[in-house]
Amino acid sequence: AVSLLPQSYRERVRLTIIGSGSAEEQLKSLCEEVHMEEKTVFTGLISQNDVFKYYEKAMCVVLPSRKEAFSTAALEAMSIGCCVLASDVGGFTELIRDGENGFLFKTENVQELTEKLRYVFDHTKNVNETGRKAQLKVSEEYLWKTTAKKIHDIYEELKISIQKYFIDENIAELSSMATVSEASQVWWETKIGKHSYGSICRDHLLIESIGAF
């Protein structure tokens, strides 16, 4: 995508590719093909602290994944106000509102990524505001304290749902239950039988973890 930028843009570009993997040699060969080898740095494996140092210096971070569940890299870059350009797959679409707190492009669409890069170079002021909004989103929605509260609320909702089942079924034991874990045991024994409760390990462990909150 960078190689498709006009010459005046390419002269100002410095690329840093963080990490290491099976595609590294292929990427190095590609850099040579498009005459970007002198403007590209391959860091290899580096510490997390060093990764953040690169984020702080970057004009933008490009994450052109073909598949992505939930991107820690995007979250980290956004957390320090860095503008993120990412393919419109998986968790990126949850984190990024195109043109508001980052930029999305069609996966494997080199031309669209090139256009987004050109916009970043041409609109520095807007890009800085995009980074600020990205940082705000992370601070409001994805800090550990915020995430823990969301998970706790989900568990509480589940607990209420289980309790409602017992109320609807008029099961007297509910009044003495202190945790979801205890409620789950009575639920299994009522619906399936005592002999089955201990054998259903996965569900038992799930409810036990809920009861621990």
Side-chain angles (χ1 to χ4, degrees):
V2 173
S3 68
L4 297 179
L5 290 169
Q7 180 65 27
S8 59
Y9 290 80
R10 295 202 304 274
E11 290 175 352
R12 293 182 287 152
V13 170
R14 294 292 183 275
L15 299 178
T16 302
I17 298 177
I18 298 175
S20 182
S22 58
E24 184 172 347
E25 292 305 317
Q26 181 182 355
L27 290 173
K28 288 180 178 179
S29 297
L30 180 60
C31 286
E32 293 177 0
E33 288 177 22
V34 298
H35 309 294
M36 289 294 296
E37 67 272 22
E38 294 183 1
K39 294 179 176 289
T40 305
V41 173
F42 288 80
T43 69
L45 293 176
I46 58 176
S47 71
Q48 196 62 33
N49 287 338
D50 286 337
V51 170
F52 275 97
K53 290 177 182 178
Y54 280 107
Y55 287 157
E56 290 170 353
K57 296 177 182 178
M59 175 179 285
C60 64
V61 172
V62 180
L63 300 170
S65 303
R66 292 186 176 93
K67 296 180 180 180
E68 191 71 49
F70 186 84
S71 175
T72 303
L75 202 63
E76 291 171 346
M78 292 170 70
S79 72
I80 58 172
C82 191
C83 177
V84 174
L85 285 71
S87 49
D88 61 348
V89 297
F92 291 137
T93 59
E94 179 183 338
L95 282 171
I96 298 171
R97 289 181 178 271
D98 187 38
E100 182 177 333
N101 63 354
F103 297 94
L104 297 171
F105 56 90
K106 295 291 183 184
T107 183
E108 297 189 18
N109 189 322
V110 177
Q111 186 60 48
E112 187 176 358
L113 173 55
T114 302
E115 292 171 2
K116 300 282 185 177
L117 287 170
R118 188 165 182 170
Y119 179 90
V120 168
F121 292 135
D122 288 341
H123 300 87
T124 304
K125 185 176 180 180
N126 291 349
V127 169
N128 289 340
E129 178 63 13
T130 298
R132 188 193 68 79
K133 290 180 178 178
Q135 189 174 31
L136 183 62
K137 181 177 179 66
V138 173
S139 66
E140 290 182 345
E141 299 181 25
Y142 292 98
L143 294 181
W144 278 114
K145 184 177 180 180
T146 304
T147 303
K149 184 180 184 305
K150 287 181 179 180
I151 294 173
H152 179 270
D153 290 345
I154 291 171
Y155 290 156
E156 285 299 312
E157 183 179 347
L158 177 58
K159 180 178 179 179
I160 291 170
S161 297
I162 293 176
Q163 288 174 337
K164 185 178 183 300
Y165 163 79
F166 287 112
I167 292 171
D168 291 343
E169 297 295 323
N170 294 315
I171 297 178
E173 291 95 327
L174 177 64
S175 60
S176 63
M177 291 175 196
T179 67
V180 177
S181 179
E182 293 173 1
S184 69
Q185 181 169 357
V186 175
W187 188 89
W188 279 114
E189 291 176 353
T190 302
K191 299 292 286 185
I192 303 175
K194 288 187 178 182
H195 66 283
S196 300
Y197 178 73
S199 64
I200 307 176
C201 298
R202 184 174 64 180
D203 298 280
H204 176 64
L205 289 172
L206 172 63
I207 299 298
E208 285 290 341
S209 66
I210 291 171
F213 271 76

